[in-house]
Amino acid sequence: MQITKEQIAEWFQQLQDEICSGLEALDGTGKFVEDRWERPGGGGGRSRVIKGSVIEKGGVNFSAVHGDLPEKIANALKLPDKTFFASGVSIVLHPHHPQVPIIHMNVRFFETSQGNWWFGGGIDLTPHYVKPKDAKRFHRHLKSVCDAHHADYYPKFKQWADDYFYIRHRKETRGIGGIFFDRLSDQDGFTRQQRFDFVKAVGHTFLPIYKEQVALNINKDFSEKEKQWQFLRRGRYVEFNL
């Protein structure tokens, strides 16, 4: 039996709980503050924010929304559908320590009333100071996750991230990349369960990846010069998002 959208959304909620619990333990002092919200057209979510001793500010958000599919979106996605369901988890963490990198991850699912569905997401790292050994560790973890599900995943999704996280007018990347993927459906013979298993593996790798990056850098000395560079790189991060 095919896994349902409700089961997928339930797993995303569990992932949010797992990651929030792990990040509180990692930080040592910070606790997540939750804001539950409802979407007027259907569904809602749980927005969680943490401020602590390691994480200056971070968000781990879950949503599961549904309702009428706006005409503009339907046209952009080339879908004739009238209603939709979407769920996922999105994370951004900004650390106090300038030697500890920013990390971002999201995993998501989309389905329409006529049976169109796909998964999307990705994970990427934005160090303020790029350390080749740390970058290689990060990418080795992602390659291992991807290779366990398909040999083409890592090279394809790494390139997708390299292209996506690029500030064209500055001719520079936002960070050291990672993986990025979208509209993973039943093309090329994949089943819904196989795609979901890959997304779950990406979600579960978030905590060990970030714990390692924090452990590698949290005890290093820094000065006001490094903090000023951190502020500048954060500006680039915001600029990319805008």
Side-chain angles (χ1 to χ4, degrees), residues 228-240:
Q228 290 302 316
W229 178 251
Q230 180 186 38
F231 297 151
L232 187 148
R233 295 308 299 172
R234 280 182 180 172
R236 290 286 199 275
Y237 196 96
V238 173
E239 183 179 300
F240 173 86

Side-chain angles (χ1 to χ4, degrees), residues 26-66:
L26 172 66
D27 189 272
T29 62
K31 298 295 181 182
F32 278 95
V33 176
E34 180 178 278
D35 176 29
R36 291 183 178 244
W37 54 273
E38 294 184 0
R39 177 179 176 270
R46 308 184 304 193
S47 298
R48 294 178 180 173
V49 175
I50 186 172
K51 296 180 181 180
S53 56
V54 174
I55 303 168
E56 184 170 351
K57 189 172 184 179
V60 180
N61 302 319
F62 161 80
S63 63
V65 298
H66 58 86

